[in-house]
Amino acid sequence: MRADRQRPVPAAARRLTRPRRGLSLLEAVAALAIVGATSAGVLAATGAGLRTATRARHVVEAEALATEVYARLSLASDAALRALPDSLAGGQFPAPFTDYAWRATVRPHGEWAGLMMVDIEVQWPDGAHRLSSALYRRAPAPAEEGS
């Protein structure tokens, strides 16, 4: 037998040495699993961000509406604050804020004359926001006798 002559390589061995083309099924499934898990995480984070943004919008609008109610209460007379009429005790906001309703309570502060504690709660279908503050009304001067 001649030394320069090579033995033929079997077909199965040739298949193993040939460069691969394309992806195997296992590689494709692993890649799809990675893409799916990443996509699910991104969608969950986006959903949480949207819910947070919606909640923040409601709270900002509710704070502005509560401030408006507080301004109305600060213009009311002492008698109206002591016996709060229905128009100041609660209600529904006009358009475009028809999803919001409010309730207000006013009570005198126990220690200081003329100081009234104000609580305003603005509600919407998925939540509520509370504003607590104080109003001061100067105590009336005592009436002079003989006038």
Side-chain angles (χ1 to χ4, degrees):
M1 201 165 165
R2 292 179 40 192
D4 60 340
R5 190 169 182 194
Q6 296 178 346
R7 282 197 285 164
V9 179
R14 276 193 306 246
R15 271 187 261 132
L16 291 176
T17 60
R18 195 174 1 163
R20 290 182 14 196
R21 294 185 186 136
L23 297 174
S24 71
L25 181 59
L26 182 60
E27 291 169 332
V29 168
L32 283 175
I34 291 170
V35 168
T38 304
S39 298
V42 167
L43 285 174
T46 302
L50 287 174
R51 283 188 299 278
T52 301
T54 300
R55 170 84 176 141
R57 181 181 59 84
H58 282 300
V59 169
V60 166
E61 289 175 351
E63 178 67 24
L65 294 169
T67 303
E68 176 192 338
V69 171
Y70 180 79
R72 278 191 238 158
L73 289 171
S74 68
L75 295 173
S77 68
D78 292 345
L81 289 176
R82 284 186 177 76
L84 217 53
D86 290 343
S87 62
L88 292 176
Q92 191 86 15
F93 288 100
F97 301 109
T98 54
D99 288 343
Y100 297 91
W102 58 278
R103 286 183 314 182
T105 57
V106 178
R107 64 191 188 296
H109 191 281
E111 294 182 37
W112 294 293
L115 188 63
M116 297 185 190
M117 304 308 296
V118 177
D119 292 311
I120 301 165
E121 184 176 50
V122 177
Q123 303 163 343
W124 62 92
D126 296 331
H129 178 71
R130 187 180 191 96
L131 172 70
S132 295
S133 189
L135 278 174
Y136 178 74
R137 297 286 196 228
R138 186 176 202 170
E144 294 181 24
E145 291 185 34
S147 302

